[in-house]
Amino acid sequence: MIKTPSLIFISGGVRSGKSSFAERKAVEIANELGGQLNYLATGVPSDPEMRLRINKHKQDRVAGKYCWETIEQSNQIEKIADRLNGQDIILLDCVTTLLNNELFFSEQEWTEPFLNSVSDRIITGIKCIKNRAKTLIVVSNEVLYEPLDGNTIVFTYGRILGKIHQLLVKEADQAFLVEAGVPIVMKGVIR
């Protein structure tokens, strides 16, 4: 019996091919073991570029030969857990956008308790979804290659994202870094 990975973490730079790779992984699992493909979209159409990206992703999923259910939840992702069952394959795209939404759409001052609560809420939401679904594939941007000094907001964001990435890789059955469309195994056995 093939063990289905319950959490797959995929990171990479902007336009690295990580979302396409994540979609292929989800389809591979659905083809091998069955299950409903679900796309948990965290993007908010806040500007023309983001509207174009969201529309392109939607069109790509509709035009494909696989039937994706799209769930739009820009924050508090734990709210969708009750809608899921053990046959759902969830692709969460992406953690960096989710973190943006949790931080910047709040009226809260960026105190340490607030920042910790944001990180905890994201991890808790991911765990809730993971515990209800067959497989959860989490996509995130790798933004920590550049120095983060000089800007307090950028440094704080990078620190929180780094913490979330570390916790996700620790929890994950498989973890990949995608560079120029090539997935590099960070953790786990590939079947």
Side-chain angles (χ1 to χ4, degrees):
M1 174 90 185
I2 297 172
K3 181 186 179 317
T4 306
S6 62
L7 179 61
I8 300 170
F9 178 69
I10 300 170
S11 68
V14 175
R15 309 284 193 271
S16 63
K18 62 191 173 301
S19 292
S20 296
F21 174 68
E23 289 176 11
R24 287 192 308 273
K25 288 296 286 180
V27 167
E28 176 185 302
I29 291 167
N31 283 339
E32 276 187 46
L33 305 170
Q36 171 60 50
L37 294 167
N38 295 273
Y39 200 98
L40 174 52
T42 61
V44 176
S46 55
D47 60 42
E49 180 187 357
M50 193 62 171
R51 277 191 287 281
L52 284 172
R53 290 178 67 194
I54 289 170
N55 286 335
K56 182 186 179 325
H57 277 282
K58 285 180 180 178
Q59 290 170 356
D60 289 349
R61 287 191 302 274
V62 170
K65 67 179 187 175
Y66 298 97
C67 182
W68 288 87
E69 177 76 26
T70 299
I71 305 166
E72 295 182 5
Q73 187 72 32
S74 62
N75 61 10
Q76 300 177 354
I77 60 170
E78 70 281 356
K79 289 181 176 182
I80 70 142
D82 288 343
R83 297 170 31 181
L84 306 175
N85 66 59
Q87 292 304 304
D88 286 312
I89 300 163
I90 310 296
L91 194 166
L92 188 166
D93 197 358
C94 80
V95 171
T96 48
T97 304
L98 177 61
L99 177 57
N100 284 343
N101 298 341
E102 294 283 359
L103 288 173
F104 294 107
F105 292 128
S106 171
E107 299 294 322
Q108 294 283 324
E109 186 178 331
W110 283 25
T111 62
E112 205 58 36
F114 168 69
L115 296 173
N116 288 335
S117 74
V118 166
S119 175
D120 291 346
R121 186 168 47 248
I122 289 171
I123 293 298
T124 299
I126 288 170
K127 286 180 179 180
C128 284
I129 293 168
K130 173 190 165 224
N131 290 339
R132 294 294 302 251
K134 176 183 283 193
T135 299
L136 172 59
I137 301 171
V138 178
V139 175
S140 191
N141 285 304
E142 198 55 65
V143 298
L144 303 174
Y145 292 148
E146 300 298 322
L148 301 176
D149 359 334
N151 185 316
T152 304
I153 291 174
V154 172
F155 176 80
T156 302
Y157 178 87
R159 181 173 55 88
I160 295 168
L161 185 62
K163 175 183 172 185
I164 292 169
H165 282 189
Q166 288 181 39
L167 290 169
L168 289 175
V169 170
K170 182 178 179 184
E171 290 282 323
D173 299 298
Q174 297 177 346
F176 299 89
L177 174 66
V178 179
E179 294 282 347
V182 178
I184 302 161
V185 178
M186 294 191 302
K187 179 181 179 183
V189 176
I190 308 308
R191 49 185 165 94

mmCIF file of all heavy atoms in Angstrom, residues 149-190:
data_model
loop_
_atom_site.group_PDB
_atom_site.id
_atom_site.type_symbol
_atom_site.label_atom_id
_atom_site.label_comp_id
_atom_site.label_asym_id
_atom_site.label_seq_id
_atom_site.Cartn_x
_atom_site.Cartn_y
_atom_site.Cartn_z
ATOM 1 N N ASP A 149 18.027 43.748 6.169
ATOM 2 C CA ASP A 149 18.265 44.901 7.029
ATOM 3 C C ASP A 149 17.785 46.192 6.384
ATOM 4 O O ASP A 149 17.575 46.273 5.193
ATOM 5 C CB ASP A 149 19.741 45.092 7.395
ATOM 6 C CG ASP A 149 20.684 44.065 6.825
ATOM 7 O OD1 ASP A 149 20.249 42.968 6.571
ATOM 8 O OD2 ASP A 149 21.862 44.390 6.653
ATOM 9 N N GLY A 150 17.624 47.173 7.221
ATOM 10 C CA GLY A 150 17.309 48.497 6.733
ATOM 11 C C GLY A 150 15.832 48.838 6.734
ATOM 12 O O GLY A 150 15.468 49.995 6.725
ATOM 13 N N ASN A 151 14.952 47.846 6.753
ATOM 14 C CA ASN A 151 13.530 48.107 6.730
ATOM 15 C C ASN A 151 12.867 47.210 7.774
ATOM 16 O O ASN A 151 12.831 45.989 7.622
ATOM 17 C CB ASN A 151 12.964 47.831 5.337
ATOM 18 C CG ASN A 151 11.506 48.203 5.220
ATOM 19 O OD1 ASN A 151 10.702 47.923 6.095
ATOM 20 N ND2 ASN A 151 11.166 48.834 4.108
ATOM 21 N N THR A 152 12.321 47.817 8.797
ATOM 22 C CA THR A 152 11.742 47.061 9.907
ATOM 23 C C THR A 152 10.596 46.164 9.455
ATOM 24 O O THR A 152 10.498 45.014 9.887
ATOM 25 C CB THR A 152 11.241 48.027 11.001
ATOM 26 O OG1 THR A 152 12.322 48.864 11.398
ATOM 27 C CG2 THR A 152 10.714 47.284 12.200
ATOM 28 N N ILE A 153 9.743 46.664 8.571
ATOM 29 C CA ILE A 153 8.598 45.866 8.103
ATOM 30 C C ILE A 153 9.083 44.648 7.326
ATOM 31 O O ILE A 153 8.628 43.528 7.558
ATOM 32 C CB ILE A 153 7.644 46.727 7.248
ATOM 33 C CG1 ILE A 153 6.957 47.756 8.126
ATOM 34 C CG2 ILE A 153 6.623 45.863 6.521
ATOM 35 C CD1 ILE A 153 6.097 48.753 7.382
ATOM 36 N N VAL A 154 10.042 44.846 6.428
ATOM 37 C CA VAL A 154 10.572 43.741 5.635
ATOM 38 C C VAL A 154 11.277 42.727 6.543
ATOM 39 O O VAL A 154 11.099 41.515 6.395
ATOM 40 C CB VAL A 154 11.521 44.257 4.526
ATOM 41 C CG1 VAL A 154 12.215 43.107 3.820
ATOM 42 C CG2 VAL A 154 10.757 45.116 3.536
ATOM 43 N N PHE A 155 12.047 43.212 7.494
ATOM 44 C CA PHE A 155 12.749 42.321 8.429
ATOM 45 C C PHE A 155 11.740 41.494 9.245
ATOM 46 O O PHE A 155 11.887 40.279 9.379
ATOM 47 C CB PHE A 155 13.658 43.117 9.369
ATOM 48 C CG PHE A 155 14.326 42.262 10.391
ATOM 49 C CD1 PHE A 155 15.454 41.518 10.057
ATOM 50 C CD2 PHE A 155 13.822 42.153 11.670
ATOM 51 C CE1 PHE A 155 16.071 40.692 10.985
ATOM 52 C CE2 PHE A 155 14.426 41.328 12.613
ATOM 53 C CZ PHE A 155 15.563 40.600 12.272
ATOM 54 N N THR A 156 10.710 42.159 9.770
ATOM 55 C CA THR A 156 9.700 41.472 10.577
ATOM 56 C C THR A 156 8.953 40.428 9.745
ATOM 57 O O THR A 156 8.756 39.298 10.190
ATOM 58 C CB THR A 156 8.710 42.494 11.175
ATOM 59 O OG1 THR A 156 9.458 43.437 11.955
ATOM 60 C CG2 THR A 156 7.672 41.827 12.046
ATOM 61 N N TYR A 157 8.558 40.805 8.542
ATOM 62 C CA TYR A 157 7.868 39.881 7.644
ATOM 63 C C TYR A 157 8.754 38.663 7.358
ATOM 64 O O TYR A 157 8.302 37.522 7.441
ATOM 65 C CB TYR A 157 7.505 40.597 6.339
ATOM 66 C CG TYR A 157 6.842 39.728 5.313
ATOM 67 C CD1 TYR A 157 5.469 39.560 5.318
ATOM 68 C CD2 TYR A 157 7.580 39.072 4.341
ATOM 69 C CE1 TYR A 157 4.846 38.758 4.377
ATOM 70 C CE2 TYR A 157 6.969 38.271 3.396
ATOM 71 C CZ TYR A 157 5.604 38.120 3.423
ATOM 72 O OH TYR A 157 5.006 37.315 2.497
ATOM 73 N N GLY A 158 10.022 38.910 7.029
ATOM 74 C CA GLY A 158 10.955 37.821 6.740
ATOM 75 C C GLY A 158 11.169 36.906 7.923
ATOM 76 O O GLY A 158 11.271 35.683 7.779
ATOM 77 N N ARG A 159 11.233 37.469 9.108
ATOM 78 C CA ARG A 159 11.426 36.671 10.335
ATOM 79 C C ARG A 159 10.224 35.752 10.555
ATOM 80 O O ARG A 159 10.386 34.555 10.836
ATOM 81 C CB ARG A 159 11.626 37.615 11.527
ATOM 82 C CG ARG A 159 11.862 36.908 12.846
ATOM 83 C CD ARG A 159 12.216 37.894 13.965
ATOM 84 N NE ARG A 159 11.248 38.956 14.146
ATOM 85 C CZ ARG A 159 10.175 38.880 14.931
ATOM 86 N NH1 ARG A 159 9.911 37.774 15.587
ATOM 87 N NH2 ARG A 159 9.359 39.911 15.062
ATOM 88 N N ILE A 160 9.014 36.294 10.386
ATOM 89 C CA ILE A 160 7.805 35.475 10.580
ATOM 90 C C ILE A 160 7.715 34.395 9.497
ATOM 91 O O ILE A 160 7.433 33.236 9.785
ATOM 92 C CB ILE A 160 6.541 36.355 10.571
ATOM 93 C CG1 ILE A 160 6.557 37.303 11.765
ATOM 94 C CG2 ILE A 160 5.281 35.499 10.594
ATOM 95 C CD1 ILE A 160 5.504 38.392 11.688
ATOM 96 N N LEU A 161 7.959 34.773 8.241
ATOM 97 C CA LEU A 161 7.894 33.800 7.148
ATOM 98 C C LEU A 161 8.925 32.688 7.347
ATOM 99 O O LEU A 161 8.611 31.508 7.149
ATOM 100 C CB LEU A 161 8.093 34.485 5.800
ATOM 101 C CG LEU A 161 7.918 33.586 4.577
ATOM 102 C CD1 LEU A 161 6.498 33.025 4.502
ATOM 103 C CD2 LEU A 161 8.258 34.346 3.313
ATOM 104 N N GLY A 162 10.125 33.048 7.755
ATOM 105 C CA GLY A 162 11.157 32.040 8.018
ATOM 106 C C GLY A 162 10.732 31.058 9.100
ATOM 107 O O GLY A 162 10.942 29.842 8.983
ATOM 108 N N LYS A 163 10.113 31.581 10.153
ATOM 109 C CA LYS A 163 9.621 30.721 11.239
ATOM 110 C C LYS A 163 8.544 29.766 10.718
ATOM 111 O O LYS A 163 8.557 28.570 11.004
ATOM 112 C CB LYS A 163 9.059 31.605 12.361
ATOM 113 C CG LYS A 163 8.420 30.856 13.495
ATOM 114 C CD LYS A 163 7.834 31.834 14.516
ATOM 115 C CE LYS A 163 7.027 31.116 15.564
ATOM 116 N NZ LYS A 163 6.366 32.062 16.484
ATOM 117 N N ILE A 164 7.612 30.305 9.916
ATOM 118 C CA ILE A 164 6.544 29.471 9.354
ATOM 119 C C ILE A 164 7.135 28.393 8.449
ATOM 120 O O ILE A 164 6.751 27.217 8.533
ATOM 121 C CB ILE A 164 5.507 30.348 8.603
ATOM 122 C CG1 ILE A 164 4.739 31.214 9.592
ATOM 123 C CG2 ILE A 164 4.565 29.482 7.769
ATOM 124 C CD1 ILE A 164 3.887 32.292 8.943
ATOM 125 N N HIS A 165 8.074 28.765 7.583
ATOM 126 C CA HIS A 165 8.711 27.781 6.692
ATOM 127 C C HIS A 165 9.372 26.664 7.491
ATOM 128 O O HIS A 165 9.230 25.481 7.153
ATOM 129 C CB HIS A 165 9.736 28.456 5.787
ATOM 130 C CG HIS A 165 9.140 29.194 4.638
ATOM 131 N ND1 HIS A 165 9.902 29.704 3.621
ATOM 132 C CD2 HIS A 165 7.857 29.514 4.318
ATOM 133 C CE1 HIS A 165 9.122 30.303 2.736
ATOM 134 N NE2 HIS A 165 7.885 30.207 3.148
ATOM 135 N N GLN A 166 10.105 27.020 8.525
ATOM 136 C CA GLN A 166 10.784 25.997 9.333
ATOM 137 C C GLN A 166 9.787 25.033 9.962
ATOM 138 O O GLN A 166 10.004 23.808 9.945
ATOM 139 C CB GLN A 166 11.634 26.653 10.420
ATOM 140 C CG GLN A 166 12.881 27.324 9.880
ATOM 141 C CD GLN A 166 13.712 27.950 10.981
ATOM 142 O OE1 GLN A 166 13.837 27.383 12.065
ATOM 143 N NE2 GLN A 166 14.270 29.114 10.702
ATOM 144 N N LEU A 167 8.694 25.573 10.497
ATOM 145 C CA LEU A 167 7.679 24.710 11.108
ATOM 146 C C LEU A 167 7.009 23.816 10.066
ATOM 147 O O LEU A 167 6.745 22.636 10.331
ATOM 148 C CB LEU A 167 6.635 25.560 11.830
ATOM 149 C CG LEU A 167 7.127 26.264 13.094
ATOM 150 C CD1 LEU A 167 6.107 27.286 13.576
ATOM 151 C CD2 LEU A 167 7.430 25.252 14.194
ATOM 152 N N LEU A 168 6.764 24.351 8.880
ATOM 153 C CA LEU A 168 6.124 23.552 7.827
ATOM 154 C C LEU A 168 7.039 22.434 7.338
ATOM 155 O O LEU A 168 6.585 21.305 7.134
ATOM 156 C CB LEU A 168 5.689 24.443 6.668
ATOM 157 C CG LEU A 168 4.503 25.354 6.951
ATOM 158 C CD1 LEU A 168 4.241 26.282 5.779
ATOM 159 C CD2 LEU A 168 3.265 24.543 7.290
ATOM 160 N N VAL A 169 8.311 22.737 7.148
ATOM 161 C CA VAL A 169 9.242 21.696 6.703
ATOM 162 C C VAL A 169 9.367 20.614 7.776
ATOM 163 O O VAL A 169 9.402 19.420 7.461
ATOM 164 C CB VAL A 169 10.618 22.292 6.332
ATOM 165 C CG1 VAL A 169 11.646 21.191 6.104
ATOM 166 C CG2 VAL A 169 10.494 23.160 5.080
ATOM 167 N N LYS A 170 9.375 21.006 9.031
ATOM 168 C CA LYS A 170 9.447 20.023 10.134
ATOM 169 C C LYS A 170 8.233 19.088 10.101
ATOM 170 O O LYS A 170 8.364 17.885 10.288
ATOM 171 C CB LYS A 170 9.523 20.760 11.468
ATOM 172 C CG LYS A 170 9.645 19.852 12.657
ATOM 173 C CD LYS A 170 9.756 20.649 13.942
ATOM 174 C CE LYS A 170 9.859 19.705 15.117
ATOM 175 N NZ LYS A 170 9.867 20.424 16.390
ATOM 176 N N GLU A 171 7.043 19.642 9.847
ATOM 177 C CA GLU A 171 5.800 18.860 9.811
ATOM 178 C C GLU A 171 5.632 18.058 8.527
ATOM 179 O O GLU A 171 4.907 17.069 8.495
ATOM 180 C CB GLU A 171 4.592 19.787 9.953
ATOM 181 C CG GLU A 171 4.419 20.412 11.303
ATOM 182 C CD GLU A 171 3.819 19.457 12.321
ATOM 183 O OE1 GLU A 171 2.947 18.650 11.953
ATOM 184 O OE2 GLU A 171 4.248 19.522 13.477
ATOM 185 N N ALA A 172 6.262 18.497 7.448
ATOM 186 C CA ALA A 172 6.015 17.932 6.117
ATOM 187 C C ALA A 172 6.571 16.521 5.958
ATOM 188 O O ALA A 172 7.627 16.194 6.493
ATOM 189 C CB ALA A 172 6.618 18.850 5.051
ATOM 190 N N ASP A 173 5.853 15.728 5.163
ATOM 191 C CA ASP A 173 6.364 14.419 4.746
ATOM 192 C C ASP A 173 7.362 14.593 3.611
ATOM 193 O O ASP A 173 8.311 13.836 3.485
ATOM 194 C CB ASP A 173 5.209 13.537 4.262
ATOM 195 C CG ASP A 173 4.186 13.304 5.351
ATOM 196 O OD1 ASP A 173 4.546 12.719 6.389
ATOM 197 O OD2 ASP A 173 3.028 13.736 5.176
ATOM 198 N N GLN A 174 7.094 15.592 2.765
ATOM 199 C CA GLN A 174 7.979 15.922 1.647
ATOM 200 C C GLN A 174 8.114 17.438 1.575
ATOM 201 O O GLN A 174 7.149 18.156 1.843
ATOM 202 C CB GLN A 174 7.420 15.423 0.315
ATOM 203 C CG GLN A 174 7.283 13.930 0.202
ATOM 204 C CD GLN A 174 6.643 13.515 -1.121
ATOM 205 O OE1 GLN A 174 6.082 14.310 -1.850
ATOM 206 N NE2 GLN A 174 6.728 12.228 -1.419
ATOM 207 N N ALA A 175 9.309 17.900 1.186
ATOM 208 C CA ALA A 175 9.532 19.337 0.988
ATOM 209 C C ALA A 175 10.416 19.519 -0.240
ATOM 210 O O ALA A 175 11.381 18.767 -0.444
ATOM 211 C CB ALA A 175 10.187 19.963 2.218
ATOM 212 N N PHE A 176 10.056 20.514 -1.053
ATOM 213 C CA PHE A 176 10.774 20.787 -2.302
ATOM 214 C C PHE A 176 11.104 22.269 -2.396
ATOM 215 O O PHE A 176 10.325 23.114 -1.956
ATOM 216 C CB PHE A 176 9.906 20.432 -3.521
ATOM 217 C CG PHE A 176 9.515 18.994 -3.597
ATOM 218 C CD1 PHE A 176 8.357 18.543 -2.984
ATOM 219 C CD2 PHE A 176 10.292 18.081 -4.293
ATOM 220 C CE1 PHE A 176 7.980 17.219 -3.054
ATOM 221 C CE2 PHE A 176 9.919 16.749 -4.374
ATOM 222 C CZ PHE A 176 8.757 16.311 -3.753
ATOM 223 N N LEU A 177 12.219 22.545 -3.028
ATOM 224 C CA LEU A 177 12.571 23.893 -3.457
ATOM 225 C C LEU A 177 12.580 23.856 -4.974
ATOM 226 O O LEU A 177 13.251 23.005 -5.571
ATOM 227 C CB LEU A 177 13.956 24.295 -2.928
ATOM 228 C CG LEU A 177 14.499 25.629 -3.420
ATOM 229 C CD1 LEU A 177 13.653 26.784 -2.900
ATOM 230 C CD2 LEU A 177 15.949 25.791 -2.991
ATOM 231 N N VAL A 178 11.821 24.736 -5.617
ATOM 232 C CA VAL A 178 11.751 24.753 -7.075
ATOM 233 C C VAL A 178 12.580 25.928 -7.575
ATOM 234 O O VAL A 178 12.368 27.074 -7.180
ATOM 235 C CB VAL A 178 10.296 24.860 -7.576
ATOM 236 C CG1 VAL A 178 10.251 24.902 -9.091
ATOM 237 C CG2 VAL A 178 9.469 23.690 -7.054
ATOM 238 N N GLU A 179 13.544 25.621 -8.430
ATOM 239 C CA GLU A 179 14.412 26.627 -9.051
ATOM 240 C C GLU A 179 14.325 26.463 -10.553
ATOM 241 O O GLU A 179 14.577 25.372 -11.073
ATOM 242 C CB GLU A 179 15.871 26.431 -8.607
ATOM 243 C CG GLU A 179 16.128 26.676 -7.135
ATOM 244 C CD GLU A 179 16.202 28.147 -6.783
ATOM 245 O OE1 GLU A 179 16.298 28.986 -7.695
ATOM 246 O OE2 GLU A 179 16.150 28.458 -5.593
ATOM 247 N N ALA A 180 13.917 27.513 -11.260
ATOM 248 C CA ALA A 180 13.839 27.505 -12.730
ATOM 249 C C ALA A 180 13.059 26.293 -13.252
ATOM 250 O O ALA A 180 13.423 25.667 -14.239
ATOM 251 C CB ALA A 180 15.232 27.546 -13.337
ATOM 252 N N GLY A 181 11.978 25.958 -12.544
ATOM 253 C CA GLY A 181 11.126 24.854 -12.962
ATOM 254 C C GLY A 181 11.599 23.479 -12.540
ATOM 255 O O GLY A 181 10.932 22.488 -12.817
ATOM 256 N N VAL A 182 12.747 23.402 -11.864
ATOM 257 C CA VAL A 182 13.293 22.114 -11.452
ATOM 258 C C VAL A 182 13.085 21.921 -9.951
ATOM 259 O O VAL A 182 13.606 22.703 -9.146
ATOM 260 C CB VAL A 182 14.803 22.030 -11.776
ATOM 261 C CG1 VAL A 182 15.389 20.715 -11.294
ATOM 262 C CG2 VAL A 182 15.037 22.217 -13.270
ATOM 263 N N PRO A 183 12.312 20.895 -9.550
ATOM 264 C CA PRO A 183 12.122 20.646 -8.120
ATOM 265 C C PRO A 183 13.350 19.964 -7.512
ATOM 266 O O PRO A 183 13.869 18.999 -8.063
ATOM 267 C CB PRO A 183 10.908 19.722 -8.084
ATOM 268 C CG PRO A 183 10.859 19.092 -9.428
ATOM 269 C CD PRO A 183 11.515 20.017 -10.394
ATOM 270 N N ILE A 184 13.788 20.493 -6.398
ATOM 271 C CA ILE A 184 14.922 19.946 -5.652
ATOM 272 C C ILE A 184 14.363 19.405 -4.346
ATOM 273 O O ILE A 184 13.691 20.131 -3.605
ATOM 274 C CB ILE A 184 15.982 21.032 -5.400
ATOM 275 C CG1 ILE A 184 16.470 21.615 -6.726
ATOM 276 C CG2 ILE A 184 17.137 20.485 -4.565
ATOM 277 C CD1 ILE A 184 17.158 22.953 -6.600
ATOM 278 N N VAL A 185 14.627 18.132 -4.060
ATOM 279 C CA VAL A 185 14.095 17.508 -2.855
ATOM 280 C C VAL A 185 14.858 18.038 -1.639
ATOM 281 O O VAL A 185 16.074 17.946 -1.567
ATOM 282 C CB VAL A 185 14.220 15.966 -2.920
ATOM 283 C CG1 VAL A 185 13.703 15.331 -1.630
ATOM 284 C CG2 VAL A 185 13.491 15.421 -4.130
ATOM 285 N N MET A 186 14.109 18.590 -0.699
ATOM 286 C CA MET A 186 14.691 19.018 0.582
ATOM 287 C C MET A 186 14.438 17.980 1.666
ATOM 288 O O MET A 186 15.223 17.841 2.587
ATOM 289 C CB MET A 186 14.107 20.367 1.024
ATOM 290 C CG MET A 186 14.454 21.533 0.128
ATOM 291 S SD MET A 186 14.025 23.141 0.848
ATOM 292 C CE MET A 186 12.267 23.010 1.134
ATOM 293 N N LYS A 187 13.316 17.282 1.549
ATOM 294 C CA LYS A 187 12.939 16.317 2.588
ATOM 295 C C LYS A 187 11.994 15.294 1.999
ATOM 296 O O LYS A 187 11.120 15.636 1.200
ATOM 297 C CB LYS A 187 12.246 17.046 3.741
ATOM 298 C CG LYS A 187 11.795 16.156 4.866
ATOM 299 C CD LYS A 187 11.093 16.956 5.943
ATOM 300 C CE LYS A 187 10.625 16.031 7.070
ATOM 301 N NZ LYS A 187 9.886 16.787 8.093
ATOM 302 N N GLY A 188 12.159 14.045 2.408
ATOM 303 C CA GLY A 188 11.213 13.001 2.028
ATOM 304 C C GLY A 188 11.695 12.140 0.885
ATOM 305 O O GLY A 188 12.620 12.479 0.171
ATOM 306 N N VAL A 189 11.009 11.030 0.749
ATOM 307 C CA VAL A 189 11.299 10.070 -0.302
ATOM 308 C C VAL A 189 10.298 10.289 -1.426
ATOM 309 O O VAL A 189 9.102 10.409 -1.180
ATOM 310 C CB VAL A 189 11.190 8.629 0.232
ATOM 311 C CG1 VAL A 189 11.397 7.610 -0.856
ATOM 312 C CG2 VAL A 189 12.162 8.419 1.374
ATOM 313 N N ILE A 190 10.780 10.330 -2.640
ATOM 314 C CA ILE A 190 9.917 10.504 -3.790
ATOM 315 C C ILE A 190 9.536 9.131 -4.314
ATOM 316 O O ILE A 190 10.379 8.277 -4.526
ATOM 317 C CB ILE A 190 10.637 11.307 -4.895
ATOM 318 C CG1 ILE A 190 11.217 12.592 -4.328
ATOM 319 C CG2 ILE A 190 9.710 11.580 -6.059
ATOM 320 C CD1 ILE A 190 10.258 13.436 -3.554
#
